Amino acid sequence: MLEKTFYKMMLSKSFPFPVKVTYWDGKSEVYGNGTPEIEIVFNEKIPMGDITRNASLALGEAYMDKKIEIHGSIQKLIDGVYESADSFMRSSKFRKFLPKTKHTEKQSEEDVQSHYDIGNDFYEQWLDPTLTYSCAYFTDDNKDDLEQAQIAKVHHILNKLHPQKGKTLLDIGCGWGTLMLTAAKEYGLKVTGITLSEEQYKLVQKKIYAENLQDVAEVKLEDYRELDDQQWDYVTSVGMFEHVGSENLGEYFNDVAKYLKNDGVALIHGITRQQGGATNAWINKYIFPGGYIPGLVEIISRIEEAHLQISDVEMLRRHYQRTLEIWDKNFNNARPEIEKKMGERFCRMWDMYLQACAASFESGNIDVVQYLLTKGLSGKNLPMTRDYMLNNK
């Protein structure tokens, strides 16, 4: 009886729309007025202590293990939780302080490999053909497909640098190489990419040789903190600082500054919370070990401490929501094949992850931001207005 009272308290004010909840005893209640489009079914009781200690971890694991079923849109359900001020994810009754995550070089290597080295074939099944695993940039609300939008994102980033042929670029966390290789082939830059993922490293190396780019492109399997004293004209880093941890953000931006030549330009693209930094225990345990989403003020402070100048800031939250919605659709289209290899629990986990992230961007719980930075006070290598950024190739 006590558990039922707790669950009612937790759920009755958590959604801005009607939701049907069916409990483990088979009895159902509707919270909110109207006909519910979403139903939550508790096949088992989740201990109160587990939920109050960490709701995202307890409920995420329960969904993976089929202790909870959700009929209807997971994305809409989670977006509603973020929207409601009295929900169990926002109320002080359910908040907890999360332990600090480790970010030694060894831990960072293990964290990256646990996520990105699942296998290139896994990501090929639901990413676009460029294998770009970060926020796309949709220039047309109705016509852009995902591949077009990912290519547009790469050009948007490179155009912001206002790059000059023959100069050099370092891509920190180069992924499967689309940005760095586009910079080499279409912008005439000499590029270096670094990654801690062996799977990514091998594929980028293969691309470099296949396209005869050895004279202008190289990839290194190396920690960003261990590069030599070389400097580059441009630095890019996409979806990287979310992995470094709060305690290492200062070092990360100091290294960006160290690797930039005087009057160099950097474009740093990453997930940021306008409300302040945060972690998610379920995502940290199952998807991104060591992940930390820094706050906007925190990021800007670290940029200032590294003596870098902010030339431009652009929010792309709606673009990432749409990217994730397409990824989740692609994932579920490929789900029968993925499930044969990885199992049902793995697929439930990834489906929930993609929909939960889409909901977080939709609700404004998190954002994705591009920071255009210069080393030196003048930023003299950039045009006076932003018009040049829209010169998409």
Side-chain angles (χ1 to χ4, degrees):
M1 188 66 183
L2 180 61
E3 285 95 344
K4 198 79 166 287
T5 301
F6 167 78
Y7 273 79
K8 289 180 179 181
M9 180 188 73
M10 180 178 72
L11 297 172
S12 61
K13 295 182 179 179
S14 284
F15 309 103
F17 43 74
V19 172
K20 180 180 179 181
V21 178
T22 299
Y23 291 101
W24 49 89
D25 59 6
K27 296 180 180 178
S28 300
E29 294 194 23
V30 174
Y31 300 119
N33 298 319
T35 302
E37 297 179 9
I38 298 174
E39 180 183 9
I40 304 170
V41 179
F42 288 92
N43 294 320
E44 297 181 27
K45 285 187 289 189
I46 316 303
M48 292 188 298
D50 291 353
I51 295 174
T52 55
R53 276 192 299 272
N54 201 303
S56 65
L57 181 61
L59 297 174
E61 288 183 333
Y63 180 78
M64 290 164 60
D65 296 331
K66 302 181 78 171
K67 296 177 182 178
I68 297 175
E69 296 286 358
I70 298 171
H71 303 305
S73 170
I74 296 173
Q75 179 180 339
K76 181 176 179 179
L77 186 72
I78 295 175
D79 179 47
V81 172
Y82 284 127
E83 185 178 331
S84 299
D86 294 327
S87 75
F88 63 88
M89 291 296 284
R90 295 184 63 187
S91 171
S92 60
K93 297 176 184 177
F94 298 96
R95 287 180 189 158
K96 71 179 289 293
F97 292 102
L98 295 173
K100 219 174 190 183
T101 52
K102 297 184 294 181
H103 285 90
T104 63
E105 291 180 18
K106 179 62 176 174
Q107 188 66 50
S108 293
E109 180 180 359
E110 291 174 359
D111 291 345
V112 168
Q113 291 178 359
S114 73
H115 186 82
Y116 294 100
D117 287 352
I118 296 173
N120 291 339
D121 57 341
F122 167 66
Y123 290 101
E124 286 169 351
Q125 288 179 286
W126 54 276
L127 295 179
D128 71 288
T130 71
L131 276 184
T132 304
Y133 188 29
S134 56
C135 174
Y137 182 68
F138 295 90
T139 58
D140 189 309
D141 281 350
N142 300 310
K143 295 180 181 178
D144 286 359
D145 65 17
L146 183 58
E147 183 179 7
Q148 289 175 323
Q150 292 291 12
I151 292 170
K153 186 270 298 295
V154 167
H155 288 306
H156 194 51
I157 287 172
L158 293 172
N159 288 337
K160 285 186 175 184
L161 298 173
H162 194 54
Q164 306 303 307
K165 288 184 178 180
K167 292 196 171 185
T168 58
L169 179 143
L170 170 67
D171 190 19
I172 300 175
C174 64
W176 286 277
T178 300
L179 187 151
M180 60 174 282
L181 298 181
T182 300
K185 292 185 294 185
E186 300 186 33
Y187 291 79
L189 300 180
K190 295 180 180 179
V191 301
T192 301
I194 59 169
T195 179
L196 286 175
S197 165
E198 292 184 2
E199 291 284 319
Q200 291 179 343
Y201 169 78
K202 288 186 287 188
L203 185 58
V204 176
Q205 190 80 287
K206 183 178 179 180
K207 288 179 178 180
I208 289 172
Y209 280 91
E211 300 185 44
N212 294 314
L213 296 172
Q214 299 94 312
D215 292 338
V216 292
E218 64 173 344
V219 60
K220 297 181 178 183
L221 187 65
E222 195 167 352
D223 191 284
Y224 73 95
R225 292 167 283 195
E226 290 299 311
L227 295 176
D228 56 27
D229 293 331
Q230 183 180 352
Q231 291 185 314
W232 288 262
D233 297 293
Y234 312 107
V235 172
T236 53
S237 188
V238 179
M240 172 67 192
F241 65 57
E242 302 96 310
H243 298 285
V244 308
S246 178
E247 67 274 23
N248 289 330
L249 270 176
E251 180 181 11
Y252 170 81
F253 281 104
N254 283 335
D255 283 341
V256 170
K258 180 175 72 174
Y259 299 139
L260 268 181
K261 294 179 180 179
N262 288 333
D263 294 314
V265 184
L267 191 290
I268 310 300
H269 168 122
I271 300 172
T272 308
R273 287 190 84 244
Q274 296 192 34
Q275 306 92 324
T279 58
N280 181 289
W282 180 75
I283 289 178
N284 275 21
K285 182 174 180 179
Y286 290 101
I287 307 293
F288 280 113
Y292 171 76
I293 305 302
L296 183 62
V297 172
E298 185 179 13
I299 288 283
I300 291 173
S301 296
R302 298 298 177 265
I303 290 170
E304 188 274 331
E305 289 167 3
H307 304 293
L308 294 166
Q309 294 286 311
I310 300 175
S311 293
D312 190 79
V313 175
E314 183 176 11
M315 312 305 198
L316 297 174
R317 178 173 60 83
R318 292 175 61 200
H319 294 264
Y320 217 158
Q321 176 193 339
R322 184 168 174 185
T323 302
L324 282 152
E325 289 169 349
I326 296 173
W327 282 346
D328 189 62
K329 180 180 178 181
N330 292 347
F331 178 85
N332 279 293
N333 286 340
R335 188 164 175 165
E337 289 301 313
I338 297 172
E339 195 166 304
K340 286 179 186 177
K341 182 177 180 181
M342 309 299 286
E344 183 184 11
R345 188 172 190 264
F346 177 90
C347 287
R348 288 172 71 89
M349 176 181 76
W350 270 84
D351 184 30
M352 171 164 271
Y353 158 64
L354 293 169
Q355 290 200 56
C357 288
S360 286
F361 284 108
E362 184 176 9
S363 67
N365 180 55
I366 52 178
D367 209 328
V368 62
V369 182
Q370 290 187 349
Y371 305 87
L372 185 65
L373 311 176
T374 59
K375 183 176 179 179
L377 298 179
S378 65
K380 64 182 181 182
N381 292 328
L382 294 176
M384 293 287 281
T385 73
R386 301 179 82 252
D387 295 349
Y388 78 96
M389 297 180 186
L390 303 179
N391 182 27
N392 290 315
K393 286 189 177 278

